[in-house]
Amino acid sequence: IYGKFKSAQASASEQRTGLERSSIYAMASKGEFPKPIKIGPRSSAWLEDEIRDWIRDRILESRGIAP
């Protein structure tokens, strides 16, 4: 589905977005951030492509350009 699969765990997602972990999970539950993928009983990760696209969309919105 996604071609080359690359994932980022919560700490990497926090670092890339500047958001705190709790904010990332809260936003994901409201559909405002990509949904995590369970990779273990207590571990989640995000697709790097989806995080990159989310960041790109925020940049476009801040410039008044619809994504």
Side-chain angles (χ1 to χ4, degrees):
I1 292 178
Y2 290 98
K4 201 174 207 184
F5 176 79
K6 287 185 103 178
S7 66
Q9 290 188 311
S11 58
S13 298
E14 291 174 62
Q15 195 171 38
R16 291 203 52 204
T17 63
L19 297 170
E20 294 183 0
R21 186 178 306 220
S22 59
S23 296
I24 290 173
Y25 280 103
M27 290 173 71
S29 72
K30 293 188 276 184
E32 299 170 358
F33 192 80
K35 299 274 186 209
I37 299 164
K38 288 298 276 179
I39 58 172
R42 297 184 62 202
S43 298
S44 296
W46 286 259
L47 292 174
E48 287 187 2
D49 287 348
E50 291 182 354
I51 294 172
R52 185 196 65 238
D53 292 347
W54 182 86
I55 293 169
R56 184 204 61 230
D57 291 348
R58 302 296 75 73
I59 293 168
L60 293 174
E61 286 175 4
S62 75
R63 306 290 192 268
I65 304 167

